[in-house]
Amino acid sequence: STQSTGADIILNNECTLQLLSWQDIRTCTLVSWGWKEVAIGSIVADPEYGRKFRIKYGEGKINRLCAYRCKNEERAIEKCMLLLLEAQMLLRELAEYRPAVESYSKLYAEIREQISKFPIGDVEEQDLLARIQALRQELLKGFKSNAQIEKHQKTVEHKIGLLIQHRSSIFELDRKQRKKKKGGAVEFDTEKPTFYKDAKKMAHYANLFYLLRTEPKYFAKLAYLIPPVKRDKQTFAETVILTMYANAFSPLEEFLLVELLQKAIENEINNSQKLEDFIIADSVVPMMIMSYNKRKQGKQYIKKIFSKPIKEVLECQTQFGADVSGQIGDVDLLRKWCETFFPLVLDTIDSLPYGLRLVCKHIHDLSREKFKKAKEVDFWRAVGYFVFYRFIGLAITTPDEFGLCEKDDVSSVATLNLMTISKILKAVFADLQIATGPFAVLNDWVEEKIQTVVEYHTHVIDVPPAEEYLKVNKYAQLSRIEKDSLVILLREITQIHQLVASNITDLAEDEKDPLRIILDDLGEIPKCPVDDETEIQIELINRFEPQLTKLDRKKNLKSETIDDAIRIMQKIPGFSGDTFLEIFVRMKLHCKKQGEEELAKEVNNVIANLQNLAKHGLVKPDNGFNSFLKDVQSELASRGRRKQEHLKEIDRLQKAIKELDEQKAHMEHKISDFESYFDAIRNKSKDSFVAKTKKFKYKDLAKLKVIADSEIPTSQQGKVTFVIIQKEMDKFDIEGKIKGLPGFAREFTLELEQLLECKEDNEQVFDTEKGLELNVDSTLLFLNKYFFSAKK
């Protein structure tokens, strides 16, 4: 060939033409300038091959190939140099790497030193667990005691509210106590229950509460089946959260409670036709979530984030919120406060209680799976409903419920302001749409925030699984603590028993279900007065062992073998050897020589267990089971960590108990002040009471809307006169007469207690059963004006 090109070199080589197709030549990878010689040997120029190649492929195509290959040659060289550099770095690291020589004798010496710091067995850990258990029982009793005191405080505050509202005598406010004494024996036996003295029955209750506590499916179904009565739902929610799970104070109880909430939510969603039905459902599940939110973690979040701005709103004298007529006081000031609260919610996702976030994630995921046709925004509304409307919004509108202030600190102006702020923020966080009515004044502000809130909700549900976050393995934890206990009222035992028994068909369809077996053994539901406050402690016992897989059983065997090995090394210190097996064989021979057959048997069991575990790949038999020493060392390190965790838990419990004691003292002081106030009014009322007699015409009482309906003929109503005699502070003798018609008489006794009971039950009319019906509210106002007013 007259041209000396790269193509000539390729084409003039006979081996190349025989071995390579055009596609091979086109796509082969170049690694160095000498690739041709390496692949095909020495180059031999033969014009004949060049001529044939040119005829077959054409001059232009061959020249384009050469240009293409030259360009790629440069890239290949660069790539090759980088690979060489990387190889040099790896070789340098390998040259400098010096693997640590495993000295198992040294490791065994370290283990012996660690073991010497622990007492034989797990006595120390059991002592710490016993202290924790005792403190937790004390804490739970404090929770329950404070809950009762708080209820009593609210009752007293309600009495004062009625006193102010009706300006009435203190005697009318004692009706509940009289009613309780009067009606207490009607439905229930007043004798003190004795079923807790029956050891066999209480053992069955121990089985029942263990099962209900650790298997959330039962309480979750009960939550759906509970009657739609607010008092029953509230009682159930409080019993579950406070009694059964001790306010979720420990990680295990938090895990079990969150598991229950997830199951209950799953039942609700599966029984809802639309996502909106689930959100607005008036069931026990929202109440359980609200009770969960009002625990210590929820209140701490609210106090930390919202204490300052809410206090400032309470101190604000300007009404900028909507009044009763719907008129906004000051739009600019309202916007300023919404701008203040908005970032506080937005920037504190990480501080939100973990359980609430996990529950919202569960709601979001289940909703997407069930309601395929729902809009994207509806899923985020469901999240916002529980995060804001059922938690943060409640704290803003009722700050006294979360310990941010006293109820008396919330003025009428502050109430309107806080409610309006909450309404605007609800439109943003829960409704994710513009507001209506008077709250539409900030719709421009609402619209520009919605996309930001969707991102906020996305982060809210971005949480790890409960086991990972709480570091809880449910069954491992339950098996480690042999007997947990429950502090519970006797009436709570009978109430739960009644609930479970009346719904057993839905709770346990299988005749062999453990719940049915336990209920059959329990027999009849014992009777207990509704006001009984007897409290007992039940040690929970698992009657039905969990069904473990073969692998799980072997894993448990490995844990037991590690514990046994540590205990033996504590009992027989000082032995050494090249392998773990050698050391334990020497221990075994030593024990036999000393006549300690039981100890020798324990050593032999460890060796036998290791051989068994090796068959399943859970330990390595190489080098006489030396790798098992690392497992032993890991367990010792875990025991050290657990000891520190137990000490921290003890400190945490002691601080919580101290806080409860302070809270209790504060509430008791307030109640004492209220009761003193009542006593003063009561004594004053007794001293100043004078029986009153007043006359009113029928038409006057009708004009005052006291009379709602009457059997008295219309033609005779104008002639009727009523004589009202206040013979006691809360009792009135009433007689209706028509002058000159002695045959007509309407006589009856009206007790203030009856009217107030009707008012509390939202009954509008009171039937005297004497042909007269009275308007409840109007009659109360009438009596206050003419009989209780200080004016003569």
Side-chain angles (χ1 to χ4, degrees), residues 296-327:
K296 184 179 179 181
Q297 293 91 329
K299 288 185 175 180
Q300 281 180 338
Y301 168 79
I302 294 298
K303 284 183 179 180
K304 179 182 176 183
I305 307 303
F306 300 104
S307 181
K308 183 180 178 182
I310 286 178
K311 184 179 179 182
E312 290 174 356
V313 174
L314 294 176
E315 293 172 351
C316 180
Q317 302 298 316
T318 306
Q319 183 190 316
F320 55 82
D323 58 20
V324 289
S325 65
Q327 186 68 34

PDB file of all heavy atoms in Angstrom, residues 296-327:
ATOM      1  N   LYS A 296     -47.995  13.274  79.287  1.00  0.00           N
ATOM      2  CA  LYS A 296     -46.883  14.169  79.597  1.00  0.00           C
ATOM      3  C   LYS A 296     -46.175  14.659  78.341  1.00  0.00           C
ATOM      4  O   LYS A 296     -45.857  15.847  78.214  1.00  0.00           O
ATOM      5  CB  LYS A 296     -45.886  13.437  80.516  1.00  0.00           C
ATOM      6  CG  LYS A 296     -44.732  14.323  80.972  1.00  0.00           C
ATOM      7  CD  LYS A 296     -43.806  13.556  81.890  1.00  0.00           C
ATOM      8  CE  LYS A 296     -42.639  14.431  82.327  1.00  0.00           C
ATOM      9  NZ  LYS A 296     -41.701  13.705  83.211  1.00  0.00           N
ATOM     10  N   GLN A 297     -45.934  13.746  77.371  1.00  0.00           N
ATOM     11  CA  GLN A 297     -45.196  14.127  76.166  1.00  0.00           C
ATOM     12  C   GLN A 297     -45.937  15.201  75.381  1.00  0.00           C
ATOM     13  O   GLN A 297     -45.344  16.164  74.891  1.00  0.00           O
ATOM     14  CB  GLN A 297     -44.964  12.903  75.275  1.00  0.00           C
ATOM     15  CG  GLN A 297     -44.035  11.871  75.888  1.00  0.00           C
ATOM     16  CD  GLN A 297     -44.777  10.828  76.692  1.00  0.00           C
ATOM     17  OE1 GLN A 297     -45.828  11.105  77.292  1.00  0.00           O
ATOM     18  NE2 GLN A 297     -44.260   9.607  76.716  1.00  0.00           N
ATOM     19  N   GLY A 298     -47.272  15.030  75.253  1.00  0.00           N
ATOM     20  CA  GLY A 298     -48.068  16.005  74.521  1.00  0.00           C
ATOM     21  C   GLY A 298     -48.093  17.353  75.208  1.00  0.00           C
ATOM     22  O   GLY A 298     -47.949  18.404  74.566  1.00  0.00           O
ATOM     23  N   LYS A 299     -48.273  17.346  76.528  1.00  0.00           N
ATOM     24  CA  LYS A 299     -48.314  18.608  77.271  1.00  0.00           C
ATOM     25  C   LYS A 299     -46.963  19.314  77.249  1.00  0.00           C
ATOM     26  O   LYS A 299     -46.895  20.542  77.189  1.00  0.00           O
ATOM     27  CB  LYS A 299     -48.759  18.345  78.713  1.00  0.00           C
ATOM     28  CG  LYS A 299     -50.240  18.001  78.826  1.00  0.00           C
ATOM     29  CD  LYS A 299     -50.681  17.864  80.279  1.00  0.00           C
ATOM     30  CE  LYS A 299     -52.173  17.632  80.370  1.00  0.00           C
ATOM     31  NZ  LYS A 299     -52.639  17.503  81.767  1.00  0.00           N
ATOM     32  N   GLN A 300     -45.885  18.527  77.296  1.00  0.00           N
ATOM     33  CA  GLN A 300     -44.550  19.134  77.229  1.00  0.00           C
ATOM     34  C   GLN A 300     -44.336  19.840  75.895  1.00  0.00           C
ATOM     35  O   GLN A 300     -43.778  20.942  75.849  1.00  0.00           O
ATOM     36  CB  GLN A 300     -43.472  18.060  77.427  1.00  0.00           C
ATOM     37  CG  GLN A 300     -43.272  17.664  78.873  1.00  0.00           C
ATOM     38  CD  GLN A 300     -42.205  16.606  79.036  1.00  0.00           C
ATOM     39  OE1 GLN A 300     -41.872  15.863  78.106  1.00  0.00           O
ATOM     40  NE2 GLN A 300     -41.649  16.485  80.240  1.00  0.00           N
ATOM     41  N   TYR A 301     -44.786  19.217  74.801  1.00  0.00           N
ATOM     42  CA  TYR A 301     -44.656  19.847  73.478  1.00  0.00           C
ATOM     43  C   TYR A 301     -45.433  21.160  73.443  1.00  0.00           C
ATOM     44  O   TYR A 301     -44.915  22.192  73.007  1.00  0.00           O
ATOM     45  CB  TYR A 301     -45.185  18.899  72.403  1.00  0.00           C
ATOM     46  CG  TYR A 301     -45.371  19.560  71.058  1.00  0.00           C
ATOM     47  CD1 TYR A 301     -44.288  19.797  70.220  1.00  0.00           C
ATOM     48  CD2 TYR A 301     -46.632  19.974  70.625  1.00  0.00           C
ATOM     49  CE1 TYR A 301     -44.453  20.414  68.988  1.00  0.00           C
ATOM     50  CE2 TYR A 301     -46.808  20.593  69.399  1.00  0.00           C
ATOM     51  CZ  TYR A 301     -45.717  20.810  68.589  1.00  0.00           C
ATOM     52  OH  TYR A 301     -45.880  21.436  67.371  1.00  0.00           O
ATOM     53  N   ILE A 302     -46.680  21.134  73.915  1.00  0.00           N
ATOM     54  CA  ILE A 302     -47.521  22.335  73.891  1.00  0.00           C
ATOM     55  C   ILE A 302     -46.913  23.440  74.749  1.00  0.00           C
ATOM     56  O   ILE A 302     -46.832  24.608  74.331  1.00  0.00           O
ATOM     57  CB  ILE A 302     -48.947  21.999  74.376  1.00  0.00           C
ATOM     58  CG1 ILE A 302     -49.643  21.044  73.399  1.00  0.00           C
ATOM     59  CG2 ILE A 302     -49.764  23.271  74.557  1.00  0.00           C
ATOM     60  CD1 ILE A 302     -49.850  21.594  72.001  1.00  0.00           C
ATOM     61  N   LYS A 303     -46.459  23.084  75.957  1.00  0.00           N
ATOM     62  CA  LYS A 303     -45.879  24.104  76.849  1.00  0.00           C
ATOM     63  C   LYS A 303     -44.612  24.706  76.261  1.00  0.00           C
ATOM     64  O   LYS A 303     -44.399  25.915  76.298  1.00  0.00           O
ATOM     65  CB  LYS A 303     -45.570  23.477  78.219  1.00  0.00           C
ATOM     66  CG  LYS A 303     -46.795  23.255  79.085  1.00  0.00           C
ATOM     67  CD  LYS A 303     -46.398  22.697  80.445  1.00  0.00           C
ATOM     68  CE  LYS A 303     -47.612  22.489  81.338  1.00  0.00           C
ATOM     69  NZ  LYS A 303     -47.235  21.946  82.667  1.00  0.00           N
ATOM     70  N   LYS A 304     -43.775  23.845  75.694  1.00  0.00           N
ATOM     71  CA  LYS A 304     -42.499  24.310  75.144  1.00  0.00           C
ATOM     72  C   LYS A 304     -42.695  25.244  73.957  1.00  0.00           C
ATOM     73  O   LYS A 304     -42.020  26.266  73.839  1.00  0.00           O
ATOM     74  CB  LYS A 304     -41.661  23.095  74.727  1.00  0.00           C
ATOM     75  CG  LYS A 304     -40.321  23.446  74.107  1.00  0.00           C
ATOM     76  CD  LYS A 304     -39.585  22.179  73.676  1.00  0.00           C
ATOM     77  CE  LYS A 304     -38.285  22.499  72.959  1.00  0.00           C
ATOM     78  NZ  LYS A 304     -37.600  21.269  72.479  1.00  0.00           N
ATOM     79  N   ILE A 305     -43.651  24.932  73.090  1.00  0.00           N
ATOM     80  CA  ILE A 305     -43.803  25.655  71.833  1.00  0.00           C
ATOM     81  C   ILE A 305     -44.761  26.836  71.947  1.00  0.00           C
ATOM     82  O   ILE A 305     -44.507  27.919  71.417  1.00  0.00           O
ATOM     83  CB  ILE A 305     -44.273  24.708  70.708  1.00  0.00           C
ATOM     84  CG1 ILE A 305     -43.353  23.485  70.610  1.00  0.00           C
ATOM     85  CG2 ILE A 305     -44.336  25.444  69.368  1.00  0.00           C
ATOM     86  CD1 ILE A 305     -41.896  23.801  70.390  1.00  0.00           C
ATOM     87  N   PHE A 306     -45.884  26.663  72.667  1.00  0.00           N
ATOM     88  CA  PHE A 306     -46.964  27.653  72.597  1.00  0.00           C
ATOM     89  C   PHE A 306     -47.200  28.426  73.887  1.00  0.00           C
ATOM     90  O   PHE A 306     -48.081  29.281  73.935  1.00  0.00           O
ATOM     91  CB  PHE A 306     -48.264  26.956  72.181  1.00  0.00           C
ATOM     92  CG  PHE A 306     -48.182  26.288  70.841  1.00  0.00           C
ATOM     93  CD1 PHE A 306     -48.047  24.908  70.739  1.00  0.00           C
ATOM     94  CD2 PHE A 306     -48.221  27.031  69.679  1.00  0.00           C
ATOM     95  CE1 PHE A 306     -47.970  24.287  69.513  1.00  0.00           C
ATOM     96  CE2 PHE A 306     -48.139  26.416  68.443  1.00  0.00           C
ATOM     97  CZ  PHE A 306     -48.001  25.048  68.358  1.00  0.00           C
ATOM     98  N   SER A 307     -46.448  28.136  74.933  1.00  0.00           N
ATOM     99  CA  SER A 307     -46.681  28.800  76.213  1.00  0.00           C
ATOM    100  C   SER A 307     -46.560  30.321  76.098  1.00  0.00           C
ATOM    101  O   SER A 307     -47.440  31.066  76.544  1.00  0.00           O
ATOM    102  CB  SER A 307     -45.686  28.272  77.255  1.00  0.00           C
ATOM    103  OG  SER A 307     -45.919  28.887  78.493  1.00  0.00           O
ATOM    104  N   LYS A 308     -45.483  30.798  75.472  1.00  0.00           N
ATOM    105  CA  LYS A 308     -45.246  32.240  75.384  1.00  0.00           C
ATOM    106  C   LYS A 308     -46.295  32.968  74.552  1.00  0.00           C
ATOM    107  O   LYS A 308     -46.895  33.949  75.034  1.00  0.00           O
ATOM    108  CB  LYS A 308     -43.839  32.503  74.826  1.00  0.00           C
ATOM    109  CG  LYS A 308     -43.478  33.977  74.764  1.00  0.00           C
ATOM    110  CD  LYS A 308     -42.079  34.173  74.199  1.00  0.00           C
ATOM    111  CE  LYS A 308     -41.756  35.664  74.088  1.00  0.00           C
ATOM    112  NZ  LYS A 308     -40.406  35.876  73.477  1.00  0.00           N
ATOM    113  N   PRO A 309     -46.581  32.546  73.294  1.00  0.00           N
ATOM    114  CA  PRO A 309     -47.566  33.291  72.508  1.00  0.00           C
ATOM    115  C   PRO A 309     -48.970  33.249  73.097  1.00  0.00           C
ATOM    116  O   PRO A 309     -49.696  34.253  73.043  1.00  0.00           O
ATOM    117  CB  PRO A 309     -47.528  32.601  71.136  1.00  0.00           C
ATOM    118  CG  PRO A 309     -46.933  31.270  71.370  1.00  0.00           C
ATOM    119  CD  PRO A 309     -45.989  31.449  72.506  1.00  0.00           C
ATOM    120  N   ILE A 310     -49.364  32.119  73.689  1.00  0.00           N
ATOM    121  CA  ILE A 310     -50.701  32.045  74.282  1.00  0.00           C
ATOM    122  C   ILE A 310     -50.797  32.968  75.494  1.00  0.00           C
ATOM    123  O   ILE A 310     -51.821  33.642  75.696  1.00  0.00           O
ATOM    124  CB  ILE A 310     -51.048  30.588  74.655  1.00  0.00           C
ATOM    125  CG1 ILE A 310     -51.349  29.785  73.379  1.00  0.00           C
ATOM    126  CG2 ILE A 310     -52.240  30.522  75.597  1.00  0.00           C
ATOM    127  CD1 ILE A 310     -51.661  28.330  73.597  1.00  0.00           C
ATOM    128  N   LYS A 311     -49.749  33.033  76.263  1.00  0.00           N
ATOM    129  CA  LYS A 311     -49.740  33.949  77.405  1.00  0.00           C
ATOM    130  C   LYS A 311     -49.890  35.397  76.942  1.00  0.00           C
ATOM    131  O   LYS A 311     -50.611  36.198  77.549  1.00  0.00           O
ATOM    132  CB  LYS A 311     -48.431  33.781  78.195  1.00  0.00           C
ATOM    133  CG  LYS A 311     -48.372  34.621  79.464  1.00  0.00           C
ATOM    134  CD  LYS A 311     -47.064  34.380  80.213  1.00  0.00           C
ATOM    135  CE  LYS A 311     -47.018  35.249  81.475  1.00  0.00           C
ATOM    136  NZ  LYS A 311     -45.734  35.074  82.207  1.00  0.00           N
ATOM    137  N   GLU A 312     -49.225  35.728  75.823  1.00  0.00           N
ATOM    138  CA  GLU A 312     -49.325  37.092  75.290  1.00  0.00           C
ATOM    139  C   GLU A 312     -50.734  37.386  74.784  1.00  0.00           C
ATOM    140  O   GLU A 312     -51.242  38.502  74.948  1.00  0.00           O
ATOM    141  CB  GLU A 312     -48.306  37.277  74.164  1.00  0.00           C
ATOM    142  CG  GLU A 312     -46.858  37.301  74.669  1.00  0.00           C
ATOM    143  CD  GLU A 312     -45.850  37.332  73.534  1.00  0.00           C
ATOM    144  OE1 GLU A 312     -46.275  37.263  72.353  1.00  0.00           O
ATOM    145  OE2 GLU A 312     -44.640  37.421  73.814  1.00  0.00           O
ATOM    146  N   VAL A 313     -51.383  36.388  74.173  1.00  0.00           N
ATOM    147  CA  VAL A 313     -52.770  36.586  73.726  1.00  0.00           C
ATOM    148  C   VAL A 313     -53.688  36.775  74.928  1.00  0.00           C
ATOM    149  O   VAL A 313     -54.607  37.603  74.904  1.00  0.00           O
ATOM    150  CB  VAL A 313     -53.242  35.384  72.866  1.00  0.00           C
ATOM    151  CG1 VAL A 313     -54.725  35.521  72.527  1.00  0.00           C
ATOM    152  CG2 VAL A 313     -52.443  35.291  71.587  1.00  0.00           C
ATOM    153  N   LEU A 314     -53.454  36.013  75.997  1.00  0.00           N
ATOM    154  CA  LEU A 314     -54.271  36.154  77.207  1.00  0.00           C
ATOM    155  C   LEU A 314     -54.137  37.543  77.813  1.00  0.00           C
ATOM    156  O   LEU A 314     -55.093  38.082  78.396  1.00  0.00           O
ATOM    157  CB  LEU A 314     -53.868  35.092  78.240  1.00  0.00           C
ATOM    158  CG  LEU A 314     -54.156  33.623  77.882  1.00  0.00           C
ATOM    159  CD1 LEU A 314     -53.614  32.694  78.949  1.00  0.00           C
ATOM    160  CD2 LEU A 314     -55.650  33.387  77.705  1.00  0.00           C
ATOM    161  N   GLU A 315     -52.963  38.126  77.685  1.00  0.00           N
ATOM    162  CA  GLU A 315     -52.728  39.462  78.250  1.00  0.00           C
ATOM    163  C   GLU A 315     -53.209  40.576  77.334  1.00  0.00           C
ATOM    164  O   GLU A 315     -53.315  41.730  77.757  1.00  0.00           O
ATOM    165  CB  GLU A 315     -51.233  39.643  78.530  1.00  0.00           C
ATOM    166  CG  GLU A 315     -50.714  38.731  79.642  1.00  0.00           C
ATOM    167  CD  GLU A 315     -49.201  38.772  79.768  1.00  0.00           C
ATOM    168  OE1 GLU A 315     -48.555  39.378  78.876  1.00  0.00           O
ATOM    169  OE2 GLU A 315     -48.670  38.194  80.740  1.00  0.00           O
ATOM    170  N   CYS A 316     -53.502  40.254  76.081  1.00  0.00           N
ATOM    171  CA  CYS A 316     -53.944  41.258  75.110  1.00  0.00           C
ATOM    172  C   CYS A 316     -55.361  41.727  75.450  1.00  0.00           C
ATOM    173  O   CYS A 316     -56.275  40.911  75.567  1.00  0.00           O
ATOM    174  CB  CYS A 316     -53.893  40.680  73.693  1.00  0.00           C
ATOM    175  SG  CYS A 316     -54.427  41.833  72.431  1.00  0.00           S
ATOM    176  N   GLN A 317     -55.547  43.014  75.576  1.00  0.00           N
ATOM    177  CA  GLN A 317     -56.844  43.570  75.942  1.00  0.00           C
ATOM    178  C   GLN A 317     -57.716  43.881  74.723  1.00  0.00           C
ATOM    179  O   GLN A 317     -58.906  44.147  74.853  1.00  0.00           O
ATOM    180  CB  GLN A 317     -56.654  44.855  76.760  1.00  0.00           C
ATOM    181  CG  GLN A 317     -55.847  44.662  78.033  1.00  0.00           C
ATOM    182  CD  GLN A 317     -56.512  43.699  78.997  1.00  0.00           C
ATOM    183  OE1 GLN A 317     -57.719  43.760  79.219  1.00  0.00           O
ATOM    184  NE2 GLN A 317     -55.734  42.780  79.570  1.00  0.00           N
ATOM    185  N   THR A 318     -57.113  43.864  73.533  1.00  0.00           N
ATOM    186  CA  THR A 318     -57.839  44.195  72.307  1.00  0.00           C
ATOM    187  C   THR A 318     -58.514  42.955  71.730  1.00  0.00           C
ATOM    188  O   THR A 318     -57.883  41.918  71.570  1.00  0.00           O
ATOM    189  CB  THR A 318     -56.881  44.769  71.244  1.00  0.00           C
ATOM    190  OG1 THR A 318     -56.180  45.870  71.806  1.00  0.00           O
ATOM    191  CG2 THR A 318     -57.646  45.215  70.002  1.00  0.00           C
ATOM    192  N   GLN A 319     -59.806  43.100  71.423  1.00  0.00           N
ATOM    193  CA  GLN A 319     -60.507  41.993  70.784  1.00  0.00           C
ATOM    194  C   GLN A 319     -60.300  42.082  69.280  1.00  0.00           C
ATOM    195  O   GLN A 319     -60.879  42.929  68.613  1.00  0.00           O
ATOM    196  CB  GLN A 319     -61.997  42.022  71.105  1.00  0.00           C
ATOM    197  CG  GLN A 319     -62.739  40.821  70.493  1.00  0.00           C
ATOM    198  CD  GLN A 319     -64.229  40.947  70.596  1.00  0.00           C
ATOM    199  OE1 GLN A 319     -64.733  41.332  71.634  1.00  0.00           O
ATOM    200  NE2 GLN A 319     -64.932  40.620  69.521  1.00  0.00           N
ATOM    201  N   PHE A 320     -59.455  41.208  68.745  1.00  0.00           N
ATOM    202  CA  PHE A 320     -59.221  41.193  67.307  1.00  0.00           C
ATOM    203  C   PHE A 320     -59.921  40.017  66.633  1.00  0.00           C
ATOM    204  O   PHE A 320     -59.986  39.922  65.416  1.00  0.00           O
ATOM    205  CB  PHE A 320     -57.721  41.142  66.996  1.00  0.00           C
ATOM    206  CG  PHE A 320     -56.996  39.994  67.645  1.00  0.00           C
ATOM    207  CD1 PHE A 320     -57.014  38.728  67.094  1.00  0.00           C
ATOM    208  CD2 PHE A 320     -56.284  40.191  68.837  1.00  0.00           C
ATOM    209  CE1 PHE A 320     -56.343  37.676  67.683  1.00  0.00           C
ATOM    210  CE2 PHE A 320     -55.612  39.138  69.437  1.00  0.00           C
ATOM    211  CZ  PHE A 320     -55.630  37.871  68.857  1.00  0.00           C
ATOM    212  N   GLY A 321     -60.442  39.070  67.450  1.00  0.00           N
ATOM    213  CA  GLY A 321     -61.138  37.915  66.903  1.00  0.00           C
ATOM    214  C   GLY A 321     -62.593  38.196  66.616  1.00  0.00           C
ATOM    215  O   GLY A 321     -63.085  39.318  66.814  1.00  0.00           O
ATOM    216  N   ALA A 322     -63.298  37.161  66.138  1.00  0.00           N
ATOM    217  CA  ALA A 322     -64.709  37.306  65.803  1.00  0.00           C
ATOM    218  C   ALA A 322     -65.555  37.297  67.073  1.00  0.00           C
ATOM    219  O   ALA A 322     -65.374  36.448  67.943  1.00  0.00           O
ATOM    220  CB  ALA A 322     -65.131  36.169  64.882  1.00  0.00           C
ATOM    221  N   ASP A 323     -66.490  38.256  67.177  1.00  0.00           N
ATOM    222  CA  ASP A 323     -67.391  38.281  68.330  1.00  0.00           C
ATOM    223  C   ASP A 323     -68.580  37.366  68.062  1.00  0.00           C
ATOM    224  O   ASP A 323     -68.637  36.666  67.044  1.00  0.00           O
ATOM    225  CB  ASP A 323     -67.835  39.709  68.642  1.00  0.00           C
ATOM    226  CG  ASP A 323     -68.545  40.367  67.456  1.00  0.00           C
ATOM    227  OD1 ASP A 323     -69.020  39.628  66.575  1.00  0.00           O
ATOM    228  OD2 ASP A 323     -68.604  41.609  67.405  1.00  0.00           O
ATOM    229  N   VAL A 324     -69.562  37.373  68.962  1.00  0.00           N
ATOM    230  CA  VAL A 324     -70.699  36.452  68.847  1.00  0.00           C
ATOM    231  C   VAL A 324     -71.521  36.711  67.585  1.00  0.00           C
ATOM    232  O   VAL A 324     -72.206  35.820  67.079  1.00  0.00           O
ATOM    233  CB  VAL A 324     -71.605  36.560  70.096  1.00  0.00           C
ATOM    234  CG1 VAL A 324     -70.919  35.971  71.306  1.00  0.00           C
ATOM    235  CG2 VAL A 324     -72.013  38.004  70.359  1.00  0.00           C
ATOM    236  N   SER A 325     -71.455  37.936  67.070  1.00  0.00           N
ATOM    237  CA  SER A 325     -72.199  38.257  65.843  1.00  0.00           C
ATOM    238  C   SER A 325     -71.396  37.918  64.586  1.00  0.00           C
ATOM    239  O   SER A 325     -71.880  38.083  63.463  1.00  0.00           O
ATOM    240  CB  SER A 325     -72.571  39.741  65.833  1.00  0.00           C
ATOM    241  OG  SER A 325     -71.400  40.545  65.770  1.00  0.00           O
ATOM    242  N   GLY A 326     -70.130  37.486  64.754  1.00  0.00           N
ATOM    243  CA  GLY A 326     -69.297  37.129  63.618  1.00  0.00           C
ATOM    244  C   GLY A 326     -68.455  38.266  63.075  1.00  0.00           C
ATOM    245  O   GLY A 326     -67.816  38.133  62.032  1.00  0.00           O
ATOM    246  N   GLN A 327     -68.432  39.375  63.777  1.00  0.00           N
ATOM    247  CA  GLN A 327     -67.673  40.543  63.322  1.00  0.00           C
ATOM    248  C   GLN A 327     -66.217  40.447  63.800  1.00  0.00           C
ATOM    249  O   GLN A 327     -65.958  40.289  64.993  1.00  0.00           O
ATOM    250  CB  GLN A 327     -68.315  41.829  63.878  1.00  0.00           C
ATOM    251  CG  GLN A 327     -67.698  43.121  63.359  1.00  0.00           C
ATOM    252  CD  GLN A 327     -67.966  43.342  61.884  1.00  0.00           C
ATOM    253  OE1 GLN A 327     -69.028  42.979  61.381  1.00  0.00           O
ATOM    254  NE2 GLN A 327     -67.013  43.913  61.187  1.00  0.00           N
TER     255      GLN A 327
END
